[in-house]
Amino acid sequence: MPALNVEFSDRELEDLRQIAKERGTSMKALVREAAAADISRHRALQEGAEAFRRFFASHADEFAAAFPDDEPPAKGEGRGA
């Protein structure tokens, strides 16, 4: 399995030791679990954002009708040069 060396400050390392001890796990397992949780959270946020974009695109006309002031000006409209 590929590995990654991660540097921590002395304070961070001591905090990790303490947390691992309190949880009855190793520091390696603690850091791996935190990284895996962050990866999972990141993927979920990406999937949620994509679902929102699809929903918004499929209802664009409804949003435009409901919020006309938020629509960008059409070509040729707006300020003159």
Side-chain angles (χ1 to χ4, degrees):
M1 179 185 294
L4 173 68
N5 290 328
V6 180
E7 294 181 13
F8 294 98
S9 70
D10 291 339
R11 175 62 192 257
E12 291 167 334
L13 207 51
E14 185 54 40
D15 288 345
L16 284 171
R17 279 190 189 100
Q18 184 62 36
I19 294 167
K21 182 178 178 183
E22 289 171 6
R23 294 186 185 178
T25 190
S26 68
M27 288 175 45
K28 184 177 180 178
L30 180 70
V31 171
R32 186 173 187 314
E33 180 182 310
D38 195 52
I39 290 167
S40 179
R41 188 172 31 258
H42 180 75
R43 287 179 182 157
L45 286 172
Q46 286 180 318
E47 290 171 8
E50 183 55 35
F52 174 78
R53 282 191 285 275
R54 284 192 308 269
F55 177 83
F56 188 82
S58 68
H59 294 84
D61 292 338
E62 296 167 61
F63 282 108
F67 306 102
D69 293 341
D70 293 336
E71 288 297 298
K75 285 189 174 184
E77 291 183 11
R79 298 182 197 199

